[in-house]
């Protein structure tokens, strides 16, 4: 952990221009940590720009600071200039540059100091300074820890508190995954004291669906979920036709993979989606099956021990077939757990 060093640079005013970036298709922890840090950094750095590699779900648009976010896709030249000119790039909630698409090589080549703040396994090591651990629930919890330890709780504004609460909430599955620690609850208690309006935030994140999204959930569970009983696995597959039928937008499929794990006896839940450019996969497990290892080994992915993602550049049908083939090698392991 290089908290002190990073804080020293900020106190001395060493950095005049900062960029904050986060992973492709940001979720609530990715955007929440970026904007949570943004509100704080403005007190120490003259120019701060949040750049996301792609768009993100509409249900995150309420976050304070959303209007100042630049989306790389479609604004490449302007974003490249800002990264080239920056003194520091904060990389939040990812640890391999491939997770930020084309922006990755721009960041790698930039003269800026790269600061990583992340809680995923196996960092690539592109950064100069890091606040990294897999022991923390979320990047939002890491950002809060850094600011409060180094600058005091009072440096966290009400805007920042709302953003940071949101990422902790979603990355812990509403405080139920095993990454929820006593420290997580202490952090959340502080954020509530600092003004985070939790009823409002829950409503924004969870009671804000388009009708089609709810119908997609119903359809998926009724028609598109397969139980591979011998592997204690629930597999959901969504084809291009399914996505078109429900006019699926960014964020609509978030959380779908978790339903499989709520079935008695299921140890592994998988979602395979035929996205426009590639086949995207999500993996969730219970207990001692590392989906980080599985995703890394078979599907160019990674993440956390019990929650990871991956992809395939094969056709949708081939990717589904490959998954069903490779999961057989883990049958005994999945039954032992
Ligand atoms: P999700 O399934 O919700 O997309 O992602 C689950 C977790 O794995 C998240 O923490 C996410 O950041 C990470 N993740 C998702 N896809 C990938 C991937 O392709 N590579 C890596 N390294 N991590 C991923
Ligand atoms: Mn996260």
């Amino acid at each position: 952990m290089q908290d002190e060093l990073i804080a020293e640079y900020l106190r001395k005013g060493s950095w005049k221009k900062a960029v904050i970036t986060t992973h492709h298709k940001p979720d609530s922890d990715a955007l929440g940590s970026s904007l949570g840090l943004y509100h704080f950094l403005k007190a120490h750095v003259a120019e701060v720009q949040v750049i996301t590699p792609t768009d993100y779900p509409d249900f995150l648009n309420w976050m304070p600071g959303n209007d100042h976010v630049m989306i790389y896709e479609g604004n490449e030249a302007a974003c490249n200039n800002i990264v080239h000119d920056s003194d520091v790039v904060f990389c939040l909630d990812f640890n391999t540059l491939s997770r930020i698409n084309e922006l990755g090589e721009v960041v790698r080549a930039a003269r800026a100091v790269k600061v990583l703040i992340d809680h995923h396994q196996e960092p690539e090591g592109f950064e100069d300074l890091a606040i990294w651990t897999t022991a923390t629930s979320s990047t939002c919890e890491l950002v809060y820890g850094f600011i409060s330890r180094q600058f005091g709780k009072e440096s966290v504004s009400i805007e920042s508190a709302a953003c940071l609460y949101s990422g902790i909430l979603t990355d812990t599955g509403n405080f139920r995954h095993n990454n929820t620690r006593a420290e997580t609850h202490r952090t959340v208690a502080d954020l509530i004291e600092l003004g985070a309006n939790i009823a409002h935030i829950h409503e924004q994140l969870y009671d804000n669906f388009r009708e089609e999204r709810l119908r997609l959930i119903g359809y998926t569970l009724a028609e598109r979920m397969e139980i591979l009983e011998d592997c204690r696995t629930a597999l959901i597959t969504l084809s291009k036709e399914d996505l078109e039928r429900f006019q699926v937008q960014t964020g609509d499929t978030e959380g779908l993979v978790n339903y499989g794990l709520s079935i008695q006896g299921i140890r592994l839940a998988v979602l395979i989606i035929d996205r426009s450019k590639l086949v995207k996969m999500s993996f969730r497990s219970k207990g001692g099956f590392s989906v980080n290892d599985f995703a890394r080994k078979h599907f160019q992915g990674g993440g956390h021990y019990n929650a990871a993602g991956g992809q395939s550049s094969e056709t949708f049908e081939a990717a589904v077939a490959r998954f069903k083939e490779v999961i057989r090698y883990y049958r005994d392991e999945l039954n032992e757990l």
Side-chain angles (χ1 to χ4, degrees):
M1 290 281 207
Q2 288 159 316
D3 290 44
E4 296 221 346
L5 211 53
I6 298 164
E8 206 176 302
Y9 278 112
L10 289 172
R11 277 193 205 97
K12 285 195 303 200
S14 312
W15 295 323
K16 309 287 179 229
K17 295 182 182 184
V19 166
I20 302 171
T21 190
T22 189
H23 61 76
H24 162 96
K25 296 284 175 189
D27 58 7
S28 167
D29 188 35
L31 192 70
S33 58
S34 298
L35 289 173
L37 181 66
Y38 167 80
H39 295 294
F40 164 76
L41 271 193
K42 284 193 301 179
H44 297 273
V45 179
E47 289 177 36
V48 186
Q49 181 63 56
V50 177
I51 301 177
T52 62
T54 65
D55 67 347
Y56 46 84
D58 288 347
F59 58 78
L60 299 180
N61 286 343
W62 63 273
M63 283 192 191
N66 177 64
D67 294 346
H68 300 287
V69 175
M70 285 179 81
I71 297 175
Y72 188 76
E73 263 179 9
N75 287 305
E76 287 85 352
C79 291
N80 286 345
N81 285 336
I82 294 171
V83 174
H84 283 305
D85 282 349
S86 64
D87 302 308
V88 58
V89 179
F90 287 87
C91 298
L92 268 56
D93 202 40
F94 69 95
N95 62 29
T96 53
L97 287 171
S98 60
R99 293 278 289 145
I100 59 171
N101 305 350
E102 292 77 37
L103 182 56
E105 291 313 308
V106 181
V107 168
R108 197 192 298 282
R111 65 171 176 85
V113 174
K114 285 107 194 163
V115 179
L116 182 84
I117 307 183
D118 177 58
H119 68 134
H120 291 91
Q121 296 191 328
E122 301 179 55
E124 169 191 324
F126 66 84
E127 71 278 5
D128 302 301
L129 296 167
I131 298 173
W132 178 84
T133 171
T134 56
T136 300
S137 70
S138 52
T139 302
C140 283
E141 191 180 331
L142 279 175
V143 168
Y144 180 75
F146 167 68
I147 302 174
S148 60
R149 273 192 307 274
Q150 297 296 331
F151 296 87
K153 289 178 192 177
E154 59 289 350
S155 307
V156 177
S157 65
I158 186 168
E159 291 81 12
S160 195
C163 297
L164 296 175
Y165 176 83
S166 305
I168 298 174
L169 179 71
T170 56
D171 261 29
T172 57
N174 303 342
F175 310 111
R176 59 192 277 262
H177 298 327
N178 59 9
N179 59 359
T180 311
R181 306 164 309 154
E183 186 57 27
T184 314
H185 281 286
R186 279 191 278 270
T187 298
V188 163
D190 285 354
L191 294 172
I192 294 171
E193 276 176 0
L194 288 162
N197 181 342
I198 63 169
H200 174 72
I201 294 169
H202 281 250
E203 196 176 321
Q204 294 297 320
L205 292 173
Y206 298 122
D207 299 335
N208 216 351
F209 292 5
R210 292 178 311 115
E211 180 185 335
E212 290 87 347
R213 180 172 173 192
L214 209 62
R215 296 201 186 279
L216 170 75
I217 295 171
Y219 165 77
T220 302
L221 298 182
E223 308 283 340
R224 304 294 297 171
M225 185 170 66
E226 195 178 338
I227 305 298
L228 311 176
E229 214 155 316
D230 60 334
C231 293
R232 301 179 78 162
T233 295
L235 170 65
I236 294 174
T237 56
L238 288 175
S239 66
K240 283 215 164 69
E241 295 74 52
D242 296 329
L243 302 186
E244 274 161 27
R245 175 171 165 196
F246 294 94
Q247 298 156 46
V248 169
Q249 297 177 1
T250 299
D252 281 353
T253 55
E254 211 167 292
L256 264 184
V257 63
N258 296 309
Y259 285 100
L261 272 193
S262 65
I263 301 171
Q264 200 175 43
I266 292 298
R267 291 281 171 259
L268 173 65
V270 182
L271 173 66
I272 305 182
I273 306 181
D274 197 3
R275 290 266 181 228
S276 52
K277 286 183 200 144
L278 43 75
V279 177
K280 162 79 186 134
M281 303 183 164
S282 286
F283 305 102
R284 301 290 186 271
S285 66
K286 266 190 190 156
F289 184 76
S290 169
V291 285
N292 170 61
D293 290 346
F294 180 80
R296 235 167 247 280
K297 189 158 180 203
H298 300 288
F299 295 105
Q300 308 156 48
H304 308 287
Y305 195 92
N306 293 122
Q311 56 215 290
S312 166
S313 40
E314 294 180 304
T315 64
F316 174 63
E317 291 74 18
V320 172
R322 179 176 302 278
F323 170 76
K324 287 183 174 176
E325 188 188 314
V326 297
I327 199 59
R328 299 275 164 242
Y329 299 118
Y330 298 87
R331 186 169 53 196
D332 292 346
E333 200 182 322
L334 285 161
N335 278 286
E336 271 165 22
L337 301 171

